[in-house]
Amino acid sequence: MKINHLGIATKEIAEALRFWEDALGLENVHTETVEEQKVRVAMLPLGESRVELLEPTSEDSPIAKFIEKRGSGGIHHVAVETDDIVASLAKLKAAGARLIDETPRIGAEGCLVAFVHPAATGGVLLELVQENKH
Ligand code: ZN
């Protein structure tokens, strides 16, 4: 397993890119809207991982709620890459971990993703990712 990406909630990707791209020097290689999750995402490779900037596309987006609750953007989730997301979910479930998604759904770039509840991890929203290999 490895860290696939860090999900960072932002009010506006364009504004966040002024730091992550212009000041820090990362490159935004992919931008996409994930309708199902009501977010726009920008992916910036960083070593073998990436920074995923998340911008809400509506007021009832989970990212909009996160920003409202916190009063600002910030780290929203950590994504761990697995080769077999179904097996990872089964293992977590067997261990009694509280899952948000019991079955994987389609995330950015056609990946399979599933979220694990922060109550199970000690306070961090965890995303499991299985990359789309074609
Ligand atoms: Zn993510």
Side-chain angles (χ1 to χ4, degrees):
M1 285 179 148
K2 65 171 191 176
I3 301 282
N4 180 277
H5 63 266
L6 298 174
I8 298 178
T10 65
K11 281 181 188 159
E12 281 180 49
I13 284 173
E15 189 194 326
L17 285 176
R18 271 191 246 135
F19 172 76
W20 294 99
E21 198 168 42
D22 300 347
L24 190 61
L26 303 185
E27 188 190 354
N28 177 18
V29 297
H30 180 77
T31 307
E32 171 180 353
T33 299
V34 183
E35 297 290 351
E36 196 200 341
Q37 294 171 42
K38 296 177 181 168
V39 291
R40 221 172 130 62
V41 305
M43 291 290 193
L44 295 81
L46 177 59
E48 65 168 12
S49 304
R50 296 177 296 181
V51 168
E52 177 186 69
L53 300 175
L54 301 152
E55 174 187 303
T57 56
S58 76
E59 278 177 19
D60 62 344
S61 162
I63 297 302
K65 289 178 193 159
F66 176 84
I67 291 171
E68 194 187 326
K69 208 168 155 186
R70 260 182 124 246
S72 73
I75 291 209
H76 178 261
H77 63 270
V78 174
V80 169
E81 188 173 322
T82 169
D83 290 334
D84 186 345
I85 195 169
V86 172
S88 295
L89 284 169
K91 193 175 172 189
L92 285 166
K93 198 175 176 185
R98 184 163 157 198
L99 305 176
I100 293 173
D101 301 304
E102 299 224 341
T103 53
R105 47 191 162 121
I106 305 287
E109 298 174 287
C111 290
L112 291 174
V113 304
F115 284 90
V116 180
H117 198 278
T121 66
V124 178
L125 177 61
L126 185 71
E127 179 183 0
L128 298 177
V129 182
Q130 181 182 325
E131 292 228 301
N132 183 355
K133 296 286 184 199
H134 60 259

